[in-house]
Amino acid sequence: MKTILVTAFEPFGGDTTNPSWEAIKRLQGSRVTDANIEVHQLPCIFDTSLAQLYTMIDNYQPELVISVGLAGGRPDITVERIAININDARIADNAGNQPVDTPIIVGGPAAYFSSLPIKAMVRALNMSGIPATVSQTAGTFVCNHVMYGLLHYLTQKYPAARGGFIHVPYLPEQATEYTNMPSMSLEIITSALKTAIEVAWENKSDIAVAGGATH
Ligand code: PCA
């Protein structure tokens, strides 16, 4: 049996829940054709998150790795195109680290592109009635850190494996703490992630359709 590793994050920044984890923990053990989905929660901590991710990758030897995180304030599911080699934290992580303008990997390339079929994933989500776009930035906090580290590790150690990152919006119950904050229900986020994983598994190359990215 082949393995698809899917990670999400613990709550951070004072939140008590993280929709990325609430959604992906529901997918543990489910099947996508000839592959099994294994889910794992990562700490929202620079470096520690990557150490755990590398251990998971070495354990499962997955052919596909998709990491998921919360992007509070975005209205839709965003499939990330690129990770950049910088840590620039607006807030402290869950261990109190707040790196500013430091490289993730000293001497590493400036950026890595996702090796997921990002346009095909967005199109499949839109066709199933779920708002989704390509995003051109995963930010400069722990999510970008994990996406960059993931792609660096796969490139160096498992070049046949593919990987990338998806951001999800706040849950409705989280959005009530703000004014005019967009949100998406847990049911829709979970269904979106399942579809995105299936499309990523089944399509090794992307489709060329016009962008429309807003982030
Ligand atoms: N979102 C943060 C880190 C953890 C998470 O779920 C981010 O976008 O960097």
Side-chain angles (χ1 to χ4, degrees):
M1 180 62 69
K2 296 168 179 170
T3 301
I4 300 170
L5 176 64
V6 187
T7 73
F9 284 98
E10 64 183 0
F12 68 101
D15 285 341
T16 54
T17 185
N18 189 322
S20 67
W21 174 246
E22 295 308 314
I24 73 141
K25 75 180 185 192
R26 296 174 162 204
L27 302 180
Q28 169 61 33
S30 52
R31 291 272 297 270
V32 180
T33 61
D34 55 340
N36 225 351
I37 295 178
E38 292 292 342
V39 309
H40 182 75
Q41 188 191 68
L42 295 177
C44 185
I45 301 176
F46 287 97
D47 298 323
T48 309
S49 49
L50 281 181
Q52 282 198 17
L53 176 65
Y54 299 160
T55 302
M56 287 297 130
I57 292 173
D58 289 342
N59 281 349
Y60 287 112
Q61 308 268 318
E63 293 188 16
L64 177 67
V65 185
I66 300 183
S67 293
V68 186
L70 163 68
R74 289 189 185 174
D76 54 356
I77 302 285
T78 42
V79 183
E80 299 295 343
R81 188 195 292 269
I82 189 165
I84 58 176
N85 190 12
I86 200 86
N87 300 311
D88 188 8
R90 183 180 48 84
I91 56 171
D93 70 11
N94 285 356
N97 307 302
Q98 192 169 3
V100 173
D101 295 351
T102 62
I104 299 166
I105 306 283
V106 175
Y112 282 102
F113 287 114
S114 170
S115 44
L116 305 182
I118 57 173
K119 295 277 182 75
M121 292 160 73
V122 165
R123 188 161 80 170
L125 293 174
N126 291 163
M127 303 259 286
S128 58
I130 298 176
T133 49
V134 167
S135 161
Q136 321 291 16
T137 172
T140 54
F141 193 48
V142 183
C143 288
N144 173 73
H145 180 85
V146 161
M147 182 179 175
Y148 184 94
L150 164 64
L151 292 167
H152 185 73
Y153 199 65
L154 294 183
T155 301
Q156 302 282 310
K157 220 173 154 188
Y158 303 100
R162 297 177 298 127
F165 199 98
I166 301 172
H167 266 118
V168 302
Y170 274 134
L171 296 171
E173 53 268 38
Q174 295 180 289
T176 58
E177 295 178 22
Y178 306 89
T179 306
N180 295 327
M181 182 61 76
S183 64
M184 190 177 273
S185 75
L186 183 56
E187 287 63 36
I188 295 179
I189 293 175
T190 308
S191 145
L193 293 175
K194 183 128 213 305
T195 298
I197 293 164
E198 285 166 2
V199 172
W201 180 251
E202 283 156 17
N203 296 271
K204 295 225 164 16
S205 55
D206 207 359
I207 50 171
V209 290
T214 52
H215 309 284

